[in-house]
């Protein structure tokens, strides 16, 4: 079965119509305004067109009426020639010439190029008229051959009958009933005049022959009957004015005398009637003339009324056209003005809403979040009307005010949450610090290598806990927590970042330029790189290596790349992660799984450090950290920090405070250091414990083996060596290089330095309490 073919264009138009809700406002307004205007315009055009057609029809009636006026002349000429032909015939040549002239005039008028004449010339009645006029020559020939009078009369009657039939065909039905009645009355008058003229011709024939034949008498009787009948029809359709004109014109002594002569000729015959041919023709010509006068008056009235109606209808059509054009222009003007106002109002509302959404509200919310609560508002919509659009503008203003209140409440809630986070992180930070001090004490009192290794692991976990607490403080909006007073070498920054990672043994530094990082940015850079390394080790295979590469760029900036061999990230996830590290995320986004990236974004945004994640060609990710040239330099003199808080306390100040309290402290001869990282990785190796020898086990873990004690060692009751409390707290550094057989252990060095760090932190805490 063949399915019907569906036109794609019709389907497209129908779909567009069905989805009218998605049309632009301009199109909707155009439809609302144009459809009624077009409808009214179509109706108006149809009305004007109808009036124009009506005016044309009246003009056509006027032209037909002019033709009928000429037909009246033709019929009058034929009737006069017929009377002369059957009578004495003295005036026959003159009558024949008048008839020919009248026929020529009407033929010329009908043969014109107008549409009405062409329509008339194409009718069968006109063709019969032309044929009857052609038979007029035969009737004249019979008269010239002295044929029987009734035969000649019959020939002329055929011509006059054709003329009357043609006149009746022009009556028609007109738009105006009065015109129709006048046209019908004109035809009836033509018929009445024909019957009167026919009786005159029969009487003239009887007077010529001095006898009225039975056929002639019968024709006269029939003509009288038709006369009365047609006269009744005339009175039934004629207007009162036309009837009055007939009664005042075709009545009187002449009409009465003619009727008496007709009755006498019909009953007694011409011989007994006692009137002559001249008397008969005089009376009959008078009546026929009166009828002709009324007929011509009716034809002229029909023509004048048609012309008047045609002009009035034409004028009305012109007036309607002007009014229609004026209404269309007025509707277009009013609709255009209204549409322009609606579009301007809607556009103003749209621009105001977009400005508030893209500029006003974000700026106001940012000011509120920054702590500014006074004089923070959004400009109201500049539409001051009281109608619906003005009410909609006030509704927009109410929405903006509610949004401002919500933003203020949210800012208050954020501030409360930030305070809660800060409080919790500080409490946890204090606990972690106490835990670190306790572990330092345990490390100093413990000689068991296994227990000491476990304590080192716990110490490392506590350090990571401290970093997590600091991350929580970053989330709460707290400022920098660790700042250094002096520039920090970039190798120390990278090593310090590695030391805060859980799987620090998997991270290696491949290349580091010999430059320094300004002090107030070094702490945030350490923690940022540490978070990136933490992510790299967490999302890469356990046995893989995370490489840290850095290079100095031509513009003086430094690029640090953290490379891993992990599973990588998808495009959407990578795009979101780059948005996070760019500092574009807020604290209201779900950051539970990517808190490190958010912290990186917050920390690097403080110093205009740029971080970007990308997928490596051979698999894994590359985290690139671009440190601006203003934060790095080749020597310390080129790096002058703008404002650095007193976050570190010199060791001399600590010793001075302890001595003022009655405590004497002897510090080892350590190299000058300003940061924990420089102490951790630049200090000389401490002196080995004389009681233990460090050795490598098959598992790779360093262990200690007891050796004969050295001073300060005391002997116990049983002769075994006895550990002097705090005798190994701080050992003097060895000036010589360590043995090539001993393996350097960073964790061991960190254990020896933990006491020093604890003392510095305690001094900082006491100094802060005294200052507050």
């Amino acid at each position: 079965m063949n399915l019907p073919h569906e036109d794609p264009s019709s389907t497209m138009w129908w779909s567009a119509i069905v989805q009218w809700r998605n049309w632009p406002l301009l199109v909707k307004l155009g439809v609302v305004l144009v459809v009624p205007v077009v409808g009214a315009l179509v109706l108006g055009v149809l009305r004007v067109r109808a009036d124009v057609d009506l005016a044309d029809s009246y003009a056509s009636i006027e032209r037909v009426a002019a033709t009928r006026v000429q037909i009246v002349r033709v019929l009058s000429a034929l009737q006069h020639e017929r009377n002369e032909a059957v009578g004495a015939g003295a005036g026959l040549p003159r009558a024949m010439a008048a008839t020919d002239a009248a026929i020529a005039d009407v033929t010329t008028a009908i043969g014109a190029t107008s549409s009405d004449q062409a329509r008339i010339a194409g009718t069968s009645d006109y063709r019969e008229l032309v044929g009857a006029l052609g038979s007029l020559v035969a009737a004249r020939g019979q008269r010239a051959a002295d044929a029987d009078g009734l035969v000649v009369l019959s020939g002329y009657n055929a011509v006059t009958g054709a003329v009357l039939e043609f006149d009746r065909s022009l009556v028609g039905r007109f738009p105006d009933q009065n015109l129709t009645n006048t046209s019908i009355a004109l035809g009836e008058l033509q018929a009445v005049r024909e019957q009167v003229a026919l009786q005159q011709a029969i009487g003239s024939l009887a007077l010529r022959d001095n006898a009225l034949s039975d056929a002639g008498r019968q024709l006269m009787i029939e003509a009288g009957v038709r006369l009365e009948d047609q006269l009744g029809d005339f009175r039934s359709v004629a207007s009162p004015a036309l009837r009055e004109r007939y009664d005042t014109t075709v009545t009187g002594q002449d009409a009465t005398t003619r009727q008496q002569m007709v009755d006498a000729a019909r009953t007694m015959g011409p011989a007994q009637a006692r009137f002559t041919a001249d008397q008969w023709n005089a009376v009959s010509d008078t009546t026929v003339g009166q009828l002709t006068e009324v007929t011509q008056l009716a034809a002229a009235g029909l023509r004048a009324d048609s012309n008047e109606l045609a002009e009035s209808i034409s004028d009305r059509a012109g007036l309607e056209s002007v009014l229609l054009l004026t209404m269309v222009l007025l509707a277009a003007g009013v609709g255009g003005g209204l549409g322009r106002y609606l579009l301007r109002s809607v556009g103003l509302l749209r621009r105001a809403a977009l400005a508030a959404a893209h500029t006003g509200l974000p700026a106001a919310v940012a000011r509120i979040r920054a702590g500014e609560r006074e004089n923070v508002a959004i400009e109201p919509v500049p539409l001051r009307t009281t109608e619906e659009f003005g009410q909609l503008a006030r509704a927009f203003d109410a929405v903006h005010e509610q949004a401002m209140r919500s933003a203020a409440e949210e800012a208050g809630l954020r501030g409360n949450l930030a305070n809660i986070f800060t409080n919790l992180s500080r409490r946890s930070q204090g606990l972690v610090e106490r835990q670190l001090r306790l572990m330092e004490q345990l490390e100093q009192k413990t000689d068991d290598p296994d227990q000491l290794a476990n304590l080192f692991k716990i110490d490392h976990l506590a350090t990571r806990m401290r970093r997590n607490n600091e991350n929580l403080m970053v989330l709460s909006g707290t400022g920098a927590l660790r700042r250094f007073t002096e520039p920090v070498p970039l190798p120390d920054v990278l090593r310090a970042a590695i030391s805060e990672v859980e799987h620090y043994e998997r991270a290696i530094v491949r290349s580091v330029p010999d430059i320094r990082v300004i002090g107030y940015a070094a702490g945030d850079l350490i923690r940022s790189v540490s978070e990136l390394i933490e992510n790299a080790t967490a999302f890469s295979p356990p046995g893989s290596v995370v490489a840290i590469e850095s290079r100095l760029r031509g513009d003086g900036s430094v690029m640090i790349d953290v490379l891993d061999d992990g599973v990588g990230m998808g495009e959407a996830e990578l795009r979101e992660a780059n948005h996070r590290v760019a500092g574009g995320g807020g604290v209201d986004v779900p950051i539970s799984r990517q808190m490190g990236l958010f912290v990186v974004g917050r920390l690097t945004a403080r110093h205009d450090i740029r971080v970007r994640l990308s997928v490596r060609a051979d698999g894994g990710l590359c985290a690139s950290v671009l440190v601006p040239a203003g934060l790095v330099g080749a020597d310390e003199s080129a790096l002058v920090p703008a404002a650095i808080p007193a976050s570190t306390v010199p060791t001399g100040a600590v010793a001075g405070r302890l001595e003022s309290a009655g405590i004497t402290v002897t510090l080892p001869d350590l190299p000058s250091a300003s940061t924990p990282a420089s102490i951790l990785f630049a200090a000389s190796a401490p002196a080995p414990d004389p009681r233990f020898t460090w050795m490598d086990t098959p598992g790779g873990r360093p262990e200690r083996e007891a050796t004969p004690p050295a001073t300060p060692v005391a002997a116990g009751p049983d002769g075994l060596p006895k550990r002097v409390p705090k005798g190994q707290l701080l050992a003097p550094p060895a000036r010589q290089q360590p043995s090539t057989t001993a393996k350097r252990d960073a964790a061991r060095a960190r254990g020896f330095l933990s006491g020093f760090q604890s003392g510095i932190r305690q001094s900082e805490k006491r100094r802060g309490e005294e200052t507050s």
Side-chain angles (χ1 to χ4, degrees):
M1 181 179 65
N2 294 328
L3 296 176
H5 178 69
E6 186 176 6
D7 189 5
S9 60
S10 61
T11 304
M12 179 180 65
W13 279 105
W14 176 249
S15 300
I17 293 174
V18 169
Q19 297 179 355
W20 63 269
R21 295 181 181 86
N22 298 327
W23 292 357
L25 179 61
L26 181 61
V27 176
K28 293 179 180 178
L29 290 177
V31 171
V32 171
L33 296 177
V34 170
V35 168
V37 172
V38 171
L41 181 62
V42 170
L43 294 178
V45 169
L46 292 177
R47 178 54 187 267
V48 171
R49 181 63 182 174
D51 288 343
V52 171
D53 293 341
L54 183 60
D56 291 341
S57 67
Y58 286 137
S60 176
I61 294 172
E62 189 270 335
R63 290 188 290 269
V64 171
T67 303
R68 294 187 70 181
V69 171
Q70 294 178 344
I71 291 174
V72 171
R73 297 194 188 103
V74 171
L75 186 59
S76 298
L78 284 172
Q79 291 170 350
H80 181 63
E81 181 182 348
R82 180 181 60 186
N83 188 59
E84 290 294 333
V86 298
L92 182 59
R94 188 172 60 253
M96 291 174 61
T99 300
D100 291 339
I103 291 174
D105 291 340
V106 74
T107 303
T108 302
I110 295 176
T113 57
S114 65
S115 59
D116 297 321
Q117 274 70 17
R119 181 174 55 83
I120 293 173
T123 61
S124 60
D125 294 324
Y126 179 73
R127 290 192 294 269
E128 292 177 1
L129 173 63
V130 173
L133 293 176
S135 66
L136 180 61
V137 178
R140 289 175 178 177
Q142 292 173 353
R143 171 66 179 79
D146 293 332
D148 185 68
L150 291 177
V151 174
V152 176
L153 180 65
S154 177
Y156 277 98
N157 288 343
V159 178
T160 57
V163 173
L164 286 175
E165 288 300 325
F166 178 71
D167 183 71
R168 290 192 183 96
S169 68
L170 299 179
V171 172
R173 294 303 249 180
F174 305 126
D176 188 81
Q177 187 62 36
N178 293 329
L179 290 180
T180 302
N181 293 337
T182 302
S183 179
I184 296 174
L186 177 59
E188 297 299 332
L189 278 178
Q190 291 276 60
V192 169
R193 191 161 63 95
E194 170 62 17
Q195 302 309 318
V196 173
L198 179 59
Q199 287 180 345
Q200 180 184 2
I202 295 172
S204 296
L205 178 61
L207 289 173
R208 190 193 71 174
D209 297 338
N210 200 22
L212 183 62
S213 63
D214 294 338
R217 183 178 287 107
Q218 184 63 33
L219 288 176
M220 187 173 288
I221 294 172
E222 291 177 358
V225 173
R226 287 194 297 270
L227 176 62
E228 295 296 331
D229 183 50
Q230 291 166 352
L231 186 58
D233 292 340
F234 164 76
R235 291 184 178 279
S236 64
V237 297
S239 63
L242 186 58
R243 288 197 304 268
E244 183 180 357
R245 186 59 181 268
Y246 177 84
D247 292 338
T248 58
T249 302
V250 191
T251 57
Q253 187 62 37
D254 293 333
T256 304
T257 301
R258 192 200 73 82
Q259 187 62 40
Q260 291 174 355
M261 288 181 179
V262 170
D263 294 340
R266 188 177 56 193
T267 57
M268 295 181 296
Q272 291 82 16
R274 298 180 181 179
F275 54 83
T276 63
D278 293 336
Q279 292 176 341
W280 170 256
N281 286 328
V283 173
S284 297
D285 288 342
T286 301
T287 303
V288 171
Q290 292 174 347
L291 288 172
T292 301
E293 179 184 355
V294 177
T295 302
Q296 290 178 346
L297 181 63
L302 178 63
R303 183 178 181 181
D305 292 343
S306 301
N307 186 36
E308 182 181 358
L309 288 174
E311 291 180 356
S312 64
I313 296 300
S314 179
D315 294 340
R316 187 176 72 181
L319 180 61
E320 289 175 350
S321 300
V322 173
L323 290 177
L324 179 61
L325 180 61
T326 303
M327 293 301 296
V328 169
L329 294 178
L330 182 61
V334 173
L338 181 60
R340 184 167 175 268
Y341 168 72
L342 294 177
L343 290 177
R344 186 174 66 246
S345 300
V346 172
L348 183 60
L349 290 173
R350 178 178 177 274
R351 290 191 298 271
L354 291 178
H358 295 162
T359 306
L361 276 176
V365 170
R367 292 171 61 187
I368 292 175
R369 289 181 177 178
E372 183 179 354
R373 301 296 177 88
E374 300 294 335
N375 300 325
V376 178
I378 299 177
E379 291 294 330
V381 178
L383 191 61
R384 305 301 180 185
T385 59
T386 58
E387 37 81 51
E388 286 77 6
F389 283 104
Q391 297 173 7
L392 184 58
R394 302 292 76 77
F396 271 110
D397 294 339
V399 171
H400 295 162
E401 292 176 0
Q402 183 60 39
M404 296 297 297
R405 286 194 293 268
S406 299
E409 294 176 358
E410 181 186 359
L413 179 60
R414 288 174 181 267
N416 294 334
L417 291 177
N419 294 333
I420 293 174
F421 288 162
T422 303
N423 189 14
L424 290 177
S425 62
R426 290 190 184 278
R427 291 184 180 183
S428 179
Q429 189 80 352
L431 294 177
V432 170
E433 296 293 343
R434 291 172 58 188
Q435 181 180 357
L436 287 173
R437 288 195 299 270
L438 180 60
M439 285 187 294
E440 289 170 2
Q441 296 175 5
L442 293 176
E443 290 170 1
Q444 296 171 6
K445 297 178 181 179
T446 301
D447 297 332
D448 186 2
D450 294 333
Q451 189 175 359
L452 192 60
N454 292 330
L455 289 176
F456 288 157
K457 292 180 180 179
I458 296 174
D459 182 87
H460 188 67
L461 291 176
T463 304
R464 293 177 57 217
M465 290 173 61
R466 180 179 61 186
R467 181 164 58 87
N468 290 335
N469 288 331
E470 293 176 350
N471 291 343
L472 185 60
M473 297 183 71
V474 171
L475 293 179
S476 64
T478 306
L481 301 177
R482 285 185 284 174
R483 284 187 176 180
F484 307 120
T485 58
E486 298 180 2
V488 182
L490 182 60
D492 293 349
V493 170
L494 299 181
R495 294 188 184 100
I498 294 174
S499 67
E500 295 188 359
V501 178
E502 178 180 3
H503 303 286
Y504 59 89
E505 70 278 359
R506 291 172 49 196
I508 59 173
V509 179
R510 290 180 178 175
S511 61
V512 184
D514 187 13
I515 59 174
R516 294 174 178 269
V517 181
I518 196 167
Y520 67 83
D524 291 340
L525 182 60
I526 291 172
R527 290 163 57 198
S528 299
V529 176
S530 176
E531 292 293 341
L532 295 176
I533 298 174
E534 184 77 51
N535 286 341
T537 57
F539 294 97
S540 60
S544 63
V545 174
V546 175
I548 297 93
E549 299 178 354
S550 57
R551 60 187 181 277
L552 184 64
R553 291 159 54 98
D555 57 355
S557 61
V558 175
M559 178 68 73
I560 302 173
D561 294 330
V562 179
L563 309 175
D564 66 67
D565 298 327
V567 295
M569 302 175 71
E571 293 184 2
E573 189 177 6
L574 185 64
R575 185 166 52 251
E576 182 181 359
N578 280 318
H579 182 67
R580 294 275 176 82
V581 296
V587 295
D588 53 347
V589 297
I591 57 174
S592 58
R593 296 184 57 188
Q594 296 181 347
M595 184 178 66
L597 297 180
F598 179 79
V599 172
V600 170
R602 277 288 184 89
L603 294 176
T604 55
R606 298 174 180 175
H607 312 287
D608 197 22
I609 300 174
R610 299 180 183 180
V611 180
R612 181 171 181 80
L613 304 179
S614 59
V615 179
R616 299 175 61 191
D618 53 352
L621 286 180
C622 173
S624 301
V625 182
L626 179 61
V627 184
L631 300 180
V632 297
D635 53 9
E636 297 187 23
S637 61
L639 298 176
V640 179
I644 303 177
S647 57
T648 59
V649 180
T651 55
V654 176
R657 289 190 179 185
L658 293 177
E659 290 177 356
S660 63
I663 303 175
T664 301
V665 178
T666 302
L667 297 178
D669 186 11
L670 294 176
S672 176
S674 301
T675 65
S678 61
I679 293 174
L680 182 59
F681 296 104
S684 300
D689 189 341
R691 298 172 300 155
F692 298 95
T693 300
W694 291 88
M695 58 179 296
D696 292 334
T697 62
R701 184 183 64 184
E703 293 184 355
R704 292 190 295 181
E705 181 178 319
T707 57
T711 59
V713 178
D718 52 359
L720 295 178
K722 181 180 179 181
R723 181 176 181 272
V724 178
K726 299 183 180 180
Q728 301 294 333
L729 177 61
L730 291 174
R735 297 298 180 185
Q736 71 278 7
Q737 295 293 330
S739 175
T740 55
T741 59
K743 185 176 180 181
R744 175 177 257 180
D745 190 353
R748 184 166 180 264
R750 182 176 179 176
F752 282 108
L753 297 174
S754 61
F756 177 72
Q757 296 176 10
S758 176
I760 292 177
R761 283 193 291 268
Q762 272 189 336
S763 65
E764 290 178 355
K765 183 177 179 182
R766 291 179 179 177
R767 183 180 181 184
E769 291 176 354
E770 293 175 358
T771 303
S772 60

